[in-house]
């Protein structure tokens, strides 16, 4: 492996403890819509279905979990394949900051 690539890999591995900066601009429109629904719910619970009764795509849910915007809340014993999630504190802060900036 060339030296420059070795350094990049080493730098990437050394910063593995650093949490990614959560920016609302990095989210897709579907992810933003889904996460905003959690602002209206107690405890930041995120819905399993959209306003038309369609299931939220697992891909959207997994992407938000991987990015640190949502976290699994509990396992559903009746439907174990459903991901019941809630907003993370960082997501609350970022979404609230966006709302404040939008008003000014």
């Amino acid at each position: 492996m060339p030296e420059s690539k070795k350094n990049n890999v080493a730098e990437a591995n050394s910063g593995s403890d650093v949490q990614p900066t959560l920016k609302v601009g990095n989210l897709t429109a579907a992810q933003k819509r889904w996460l905003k629904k959690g602002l209206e719910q107690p405890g930041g619970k995120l819905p399993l279905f959209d306003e038309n009764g369609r299931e939220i795509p697992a891909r959207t849910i997994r992407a938000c979990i991987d990015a640190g915007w949502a976290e699994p809340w509990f396992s559903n014993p009746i439907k174990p394949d459903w991901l019941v999630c809630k907003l993370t504190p960082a997501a609350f802060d970022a979404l609230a900051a966006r709302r404040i900036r939008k008003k000014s």
Side-chain angles (χ1 to χ4, degrees):
M1 184 183 289
E3 281 299 316
S4 62
K5 290 198 179 203
K6 285 182 184 175
N7 290 340
N8 290 342
V9 171
E11 288 172 9
N13 290 339
S14 67
S16 62
D17 293 344
V18 178
Q19 292 290 327
T21 304
L22 301 177
K23 294 182 181 177
V24 175
N26 294 343
L27 294 171
T28 66
Q31 291 168 342
K32 284 180 191 177
R33 273 193 310 273
W34 184 60
L35 292 170
K36 284 182 181 179
K37 298 282 185 189
L39 293 174
E40 303 164 1
Q41 297 298 317
K45 182 189 177 292
L46 293 162
L48 296 171
F49 301 94
D50 67 11
E51 55 278 349
N52 297 320
R54 284 177 278 183
E55 192 172 348
I56 302 295
R59 183 176 179 177
T60 300
I61 296 170
R62 292 261 180 231
C64 290
I65 291 171
D66 291 345
W69 287 102
E71 61 186 0
W73 196 349
F74 62 87
S75 296
N76 185 338
I78 297 170
K79 291 291 279 180
D81 56 323
W82 284 357
L83 284 169
V84 180
C85 296
K86 64 179 181 175
L87 291 173
T88 61
F92 272 114
D93 293 343
L95 291 170
R98 179 171 170 80
R99 292 171 80 188
I100 291 169
R101 277 184 282 163
K102 218 176 188 181
K103 288 180 183 178
S104 19

